[in-house]
């Protein structure tokens, strides 16, 4: 979440860099209230602004929120009159917007702003001495990565705020095992404004700096608040078939086994060395690969393939990750130079062939291919549909394919569909100073497989609307989440994974855990179920055939409208006071492709 308020003078042609903005609209308060209940986070950001000038001024409300979040509500209140955002089916909202544009009005939106964030932006003109209150609400399911859940709040008010606070309440019935806060802007003075209270199952974090504590120094009205505020935590676990929580007939099942042996990996790194990778990209790739090679376990087997219009293999077979072989591979990596075209098809088929003919591999081991590319296929087979078909046929469910797209020239749709069709995931690497760390971070997430072919089982006819319950791989430090609706007559919910761990949950006892808790927001497990279902339907639709894709999207749209989520299939229409650019449209961007802003000028949104 980024908290930003900008204030501009509504005067044509004014050079803001040379003109004092005082008196400008003053931010009276900027509280962020977050309730996290069983990983599901409900965030409310409110900004109250007053125009102290004797003429109209424009106030802009910007919030950077996690890409994984769904906006659920937005409103503006101007001098007591409320202007709510209305969530509609995307095509219907677009028609309203197009009608507004034809009358000379423009639109606002949500756009991607970085690796983890997207930005919500709206502005409104307020009269002299008037007040406006903006309120944005969004929800997200926190994902466990490398053993921790992380809540990221981006803080950037751009002025001193009389009432500024970040107020986080956490309730985890399993118990809180670990909790920490972190910040990129914290000073000794600001640390005094931070309080943290924790017991067995609850935590309260409050960051409430005074105006004086916010100042860079006592003489200047400049704010220190500019950067990231982070909350990281994990929950307690026991060696069972996981933890089930139930509210109003909906359940969520969390499963993250501890202290299990790590399967050996058979991994092939397939690295693009085409001309577009030249310069900083190839340097960062070499840097990351050298560190990743050092992280291989002695029982792992590996190989490296590089490609441009030709494919080069370090070795034609998988070798064990001995010190000698790792040193040899490091020498190969250091010689990688970028030039030529991009033959993704040949490179991936070569990797599959190496895995197919591998001998004397550990009986219980996980085979995977990690592809890194920054461009489109330009050599050999260049039709992405044919490449996808070739790779899926060759892999045939035997291996997991992970696709990393470097930068924005890559066809992310192509990589994502290919990865999801072959038991893996896709990820975009952003071209900035920490690209090497992004690559290493991704590898760390998939470096420790501890379970294969997991099936979460529940009694037939006892549950309905079940989210995904079959998983190809489980990595140490992550978490499996399954949710669904329980039949009305059920008293005990047996659950287990792959028939090796079994347990029963008493429905009435489990529901009692959440009774009379003031910090629980509504039917949160039902909303968690809807959130998870929509995300999985959209993910499944990426690799589905056209007819199935339409059915999956129709169901996702139905749930998005029923539960009031701004998803890639819905939009929020925001109407402003008469006489202003009246209609603004907030769409949910996706990682695939560059997004064009909904404005008459057609500006690029990435």
């Amino acid at each position: 979440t980024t908290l930003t308020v900008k204030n501009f003078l509504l005067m044509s042609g004014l050079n803001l860099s040379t003109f004092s903005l005082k008196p400008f609209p003053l931010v009276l308060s900027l509280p962020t209230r977050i309730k996290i209940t069983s990983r599901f986070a409900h965030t409310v950001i409110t900004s109250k602004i007053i125009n102290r000038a004797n003429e109209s001024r424009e106030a802009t409300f910007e919030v950077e929120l996690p890409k994984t979040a769904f906006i659920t509500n937005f409103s503006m209140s101007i001098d007591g009159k409320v202007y709510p955002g209305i969530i509609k089916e995307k095509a219907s909202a677009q028609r309203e917007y197009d009608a507004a544009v034809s009358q000379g009005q423009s639109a606002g939106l949500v756009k991607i702003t970085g690796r983890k964030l997207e930005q919500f932006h709206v502005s409104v003109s307020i009269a002299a001495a008037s007040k406006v209150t903006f309120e944005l609400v969004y929800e997200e399911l926190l994902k466990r990565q490398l053993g921790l859940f992380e809540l990221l709040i981006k803080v950037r008010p751009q002025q001193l705020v009389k009432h500024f606070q970040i107020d986080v309440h956490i309730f985890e019935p399993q118990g809180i095992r670990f909790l920490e806060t972190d910040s990129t802007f914290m000073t000794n003075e600001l640390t005094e404004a931070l309080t943290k209270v924790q017991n067995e199952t609850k935590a309260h974090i409050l960051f409430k700096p005074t105006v004086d504590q916010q100042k860079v120094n006592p003489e200047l009205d400049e704010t220190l608040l500019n950067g990231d505020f982070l909350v990281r935590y994990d929950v307690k676990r026991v060696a069972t078939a996981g933890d089930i929580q139930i509210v109003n007939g909906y359940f969520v099942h969390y499963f993250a086994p501890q202290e299990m042996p790590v399967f050996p990996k058979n991994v092939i790194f397939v690295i693009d060395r085409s001309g577009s990778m030249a310069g900083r990209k190839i340097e960062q790739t070499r840097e990351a690969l050298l560190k990743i090679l050092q992280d291989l376990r002695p029982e792992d087997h590996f190989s490296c393939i590089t490609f441009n219009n030709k494919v080069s293999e370090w070795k034609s077979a998988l070798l064990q990750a001995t010190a000698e072989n790792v040193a040899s591979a490091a020498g190969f990596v250091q010689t990688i130079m970028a030039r030529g075209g991009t033959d993704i098809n040949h490179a991936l088929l070569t990797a599959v062939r190496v895995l197919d003919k591998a001998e004397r591999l550990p009986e219980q081991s996980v085979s995977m291919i990690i592809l890194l590319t920054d461009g489109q296929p330009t050599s050999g087979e260049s039709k992405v549909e044919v490449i996808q078909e070739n790779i899926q046929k060759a892999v045939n469910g035997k291996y997991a394919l992970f696709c990393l797209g470097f930068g924005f020239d890559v066809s992310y749709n192509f990589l994502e569909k290919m990865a999801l069709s072959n038991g893996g995931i896709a990820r975009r690497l952003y071209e900035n100073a920490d690209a090497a760390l992004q690559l290493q971070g991704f590898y760390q997430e998939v470096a420790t497989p501890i379970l294969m072919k997991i099936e979460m089982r529940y009694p037939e006819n006892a549950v309905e609307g079940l989210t995904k319950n079959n998983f190809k791989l489980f990595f140490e430090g992550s978490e499996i989440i399954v949710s669904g609706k329980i039949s009305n007559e059920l008293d005990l919910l047996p659950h287990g994974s792959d028939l090796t761990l079994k347990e029963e949950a008493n429905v009435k006892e489990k529901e009692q855990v959440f009774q009379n808790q003031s910090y629980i927001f509504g039917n949160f497990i039902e909303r968690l179920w809807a959130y998870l279902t929509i995300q999985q339907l959209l993910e499944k639709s990426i690799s589905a055939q056209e007819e199935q894709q339409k059915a999956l999207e129709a169901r996702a749209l139905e749930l998005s409208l029923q539960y009031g989520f701004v998803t890639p299939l819905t939009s929020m229409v925001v109407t402003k006071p008469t006489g202003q650019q009246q209609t603004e449209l907030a769409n949910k961007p996706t990682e695939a492709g560059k997004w064009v802003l909904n404005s008459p000028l057609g500006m690029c949104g990435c």
Side-chain angles (χ1 to χ4, degrees), residues 138-429:
Y138 62 84
E139 293 174 348
E140 64 173 320
L141 182 59
L142 300 182
K143 184 179 179 183
R144 189 170 185 252
Q145 288 183 314
L146 303 176
L148 293 174
F149 301 100
E150 181 179 275
L151 178 76
L152 168 62
I153 304 161
K154 204 83 169 152
V155 180
R156 196 157 53 93
Q158 296 190 346
Q159 61 172 277
L160 301 174
V161 180
K162 187 175 181 182
H163 300 290
F164 179 94
Q165 71 175 42
I166 297 171
D167 192 8
V168 183
H169 287 266
I170 302 172
F171 176 46
E172 290 288 352
Q174 285 175 260
I176 298 170
R177 178 189 68 80
F178 171 85
L179 176 69
E180 71 172 9
T181 58
D182 197 4
S183 168
T184 59
F185 55 79
M186 200 63 71
T187 62
N188 289 336
E189 289 77 16
L190 286 174
T191 302
E192 294 174 7
L194 178 65
T195 58
K196 187 168 65 173
V197 180
Q198 178 186 348
N199 63 21
E200 183 71 15
T201 59
K202 301 173 192 172
H204 180 212
I205 296 153
L206 180 64
F207 178 56
K208 193 174 181 180
T210 65
V211 169
D212 286 340
Q213 286 171 323
Q214 294 172 43
K215 289 183 178 181
V216 172
N217 68 54
E219 311 302 321
L220 295 173
D221 286 348
E222 291 180 18
T223 181
L224 285 164
L225 304 184
N226 185 10
D228 298 345
F229 185 88
L230 297 143
V231 178
R232 299 186 189 96
Y233 75 93
D234 196 23
V235 300
K236 294 178 180 177
R237 291 179 177 81
V238 292
T240 65
D243 185 72
I244 281 203
Q245 294 165 21
I246 301 168
V247 172
N248 294 337
Y250 284 83
F251 79 90
V252 60
H253 182 187
Y254 298 109
F255 181 59
Q258 304 286 77
E259 298 176 3
M260 297 193 68
V262 175
F263 287 126
K265 295 187 304 299
N266 313 309
V267 58
I268 299 185
F269 302 99
V270 182
I271 306 300
D272 186 345
R273 58 179 170 89
S274 61
S276 57
M277 286 285 289
R280 188 75 181 115
K281 282 187 197 171
I282 205 71
E283 289 172 13
Q284 290 175 318
T285 301
R286 282 197 298 259
E287 178 189 337
L289 274 175
L290 290 172
K291 289 190 171 68
I292 287 170
L293 289 172
Q294 296 301 320
D295 288 339
L296 289 168
R297 296 167 179 260
E299 61 272 22
D300 292 339
H301 288 70
F302 77 105
S303 191
C304 298
I305 292 173
T306 65
F307 69 96
N308 48 23
N309 48 303
K310 295 180 180 178
V311 173
S312 296
E313 297 178 71
W314 164 60
K315 303 288 181 185
S316 58
L318 283 173
L319 294 184
Q320 192 168 348
T322 62
E324 184 181 356
N325 287 336
V326 167
S328 170
F332 174 77
V333 166
Q334 286 171 324
T335 66
I336 299 174
M337 302 295 290
R339 63 174 72 88
T342 310
D343 191 346
I344 294 174
N345 185 67
H346 186 194
L348 286 176
L349 289 177
T350 301
V352 174
R353 176 179 53 78
V354 172
L355 284 171
D356 281 344
K357 69 175 189 175
E359 298 176 348
R360 294 189 296 277
L361 297 178
E363 189 176 334
Q364 289 283 325
S365 60
V366 173
S367 296
M368 62 178 73
I369 298 167
I370 298 178
L371 168 70
L372 171 64
T373 181
D374 78 329
Q376 313 277 357
T378 59
S379 299
E381 181 56 67
S382 59
K383 293 180 180 176
V384 295
E385 296 83 4
V386 175
I387 297 172
Q388 286 164 346
E389 189 177 330
N390 289 347
I391 304 310
Q392 190 168 358
K393 186 176 179 182
V395 170
N396 195 27
K398 296 172 289 188
Y399 319 123
L401 172 62
F402 299 97
C403 297
L404 303 178
F406 208 145
F408 283 93
D409 293 327
V410 73
S411 172
Y412 192 83
N413 269 331
F414 160 56
L415 294 183
E416 187 172 36
K417 184 171 182 178
M418 195 159 56
L420 291 173
S421 300
N422 293 287
I425 58 171
R427 186 79 56 84
R428 191 190 298 280
L429 300 183

Side-chain angles (χ1 to χ4, degrees), residues 1 93 95 102 104 140 153 157 173 196 216 271 310 316 323 412 498 516 530 543 548 562 577 589 599:
T1 306
R95 284 192 294 272
S102 69
E140 64 173 320
I153 304 161
K196 187 168 65 173
V216 172
I271 306 300
K310 295 180 180 178
S316 58
Y412 192 83
D498 209 26
N516 305 317
S543 55
Q548 188 194 13
Q562 182 181 343
S599 75

Side-chain angles (χ1 to χ4, degrees), residues 366-577:
V366 173
S367 296
M368 62 178 73
I369 298 167
I370 298 178
L371 168 70
L372 171 64
T373 181
D374 78 329
Q376 313 277 357
T378 59
S379 299
E381 181 56 67
S382 59
K383 293 180 180 176
V384 295
E385 296 83 4
V386 175
I387 297 172
Q388 286 164 346
E389 189 177 330
N390 289 347
I391 304 310
Q392 190 168 358
K393 186 176 179 182
V395 170
N396 195 27
K398 296 172 289 188
Y399 319 123
L401 172 62
F402 299 97
C403 297
L404 303 178
F406 208 145
F408 283 93
D409 293 327
V410 73
S411 172
Y412 192 83
N413 269 331
F414 160 56
L415 294 183
E416 187 172 36
K417 184 171 182 178
M418 195 159 56
L420 291 173
S421 300
N422 293 287
I425 58 171
R427 186 79 56 84
R428 191 190 298 280
L429 300 183
Y430 282 73
E431 295 180 55
N432 53 32
D434 73 344
L437 291 175
Q438 294 174 50
L439 179 51
Q440 290 169 57
F442 173 80
Y443 173 75
Q444 286 169 1
E445 288 178 43
V446 300
T448 52
I450 59 174
L451 288 176
M452 291 188 287
K453 298 177 182 174
I454 310 106
E455 183 180 2
M456 312 298 287
R457 297 186 179 179
Y458 310 89
E460 285 186 36
N461 305 319
V463 297
E464 58 185 83
L466 200 63
T467 60
K468 181 179 176 180
N469 67 323
N470 284 280
F471 304 87
K472 186 168 185 174
L473 292 169
F474 177 79
F475 298 99
E476 190 175 57
S478 61
E479 182 175 62
I480 285 173
I481 304 175
V482 181
S483 187
K485 189 176 182 181
I486 300 172
S487 111
N488 292 332
E489 305 303 317
L490 195 67
D491 292 322
L492 291 174
L493 178 60
H495 58 281
S497 60
D498 209 26
L499 296 181
T500 56
L501 292 167
K502 292 183 179 179
E503 204 174 328
E504 287 185 338
N506 184 296
V507 174
K508 289 182 179 176
E509 275 184 21
K510 288 288 183 180
E511 284 200 311
Q512 204 64 38
V513 172
F514 294 100
Q515 296 301 314
N516 305 317
Q517 302 285 7
S518 61
Y519 42 81
I520 304 303
F521 47 97
N523 296 331
F524 83 95
I525 290 184
E526 183 178 349
R527 294 191 64 78
L528 185 159
W529 167 82
Y531 170 100
L532 195 57
T533 302
I534 292 165
Q535 282 208 328
Q536 291 177 357
L537 288 168
L538 292 173
E539 184 178 285
K540 197 173 179 182
S541 74
I542 291 168
S543 55
Q545 297 299 317
E546 186 177 357
E547 194 171 323
Q548 188 194 13
Q549 187 179 61
K550 287 180 180 176
L552 292 167
E553 289 182 350
R555 177 59 176 150
L557 172 61
E558 181 186 356
L559 289 172
S560 299
L561 292 171
Q562 182 181 343
Y563 288 93
F565 289 131
V566 177
T567 72
L569 302 172
T570 56
S571 295
M572 178 179 282
V573 179
V574 178
T575 304
K576 294 187 191 177

